[in-house]
Amino acid sequence: NQQMANTPPNDEAARNQLAERQKELAKDAQKMEQEAKELSKKMGTQEEMPTKEMQQAEQQLQQENPGQQMEQAGEQMEQGDMQQAQQQGEQAKQSAQKFKQKMQGVKQKMQENTQRAVTNKMRKALQDMLDLSKRQEALKERTENTQANSPEFRDQAQEQGQMGQEMQNIGD
């Protein structure tokens, strides 16, 4: 924007160069908008994703449309209306900054959700281990009073094997 403000309206070559750069930025902004749409769709299929926040960021980007603002700024530069071009460029910059802040919020929410999910999984694994430990202790006590050649002993051996498998499942 500073370069835009310092470009005299009658310097057509500089104006055209700035206008071309502005149009390139507009294309980048439109590409960013498309990528935001795709990301929003992908996030909708994943657990622990802040889809609501992402959709809000996407909506804001569509409403404010910094790509279109940049394109208009480029057209105004080509026409020599540097003051109007500068205002459009400033609006585009502000729109892009708002989107950046929204996306930082999405990132933070994703981190919080992921951390919460990991904590819950760890808590469940710990509870499962405690339950399994209690069952193992009860089986040990029953096995001490069972004769080795009895049918109950075979059942208890199968139960022990099943608990071993459950212990492996907890680790996975």
Side-chain angles (χ1 to χ4, degrees), residues 145-156:
N145 299 326
T146 306
Q147 293 185 359
N149 57 1
S150 71
E152 292 96 20
F153 192 79
R154 271 195 311 264
D155 292 343
Q156 291 167 350

Side-chain angles (χ1 to χ4, degrees), residues 118-132:
V118 168
T119 300
N120 288 340
K121 286 179 184 178
M122 287 178 63
R123 188 176 292 127
K124 183 179 178 343
L126 181 59
Q127 186 61 49
D128 290 347
M129 295 255 317
L130 287 171
D131 292 344
L132 192 57

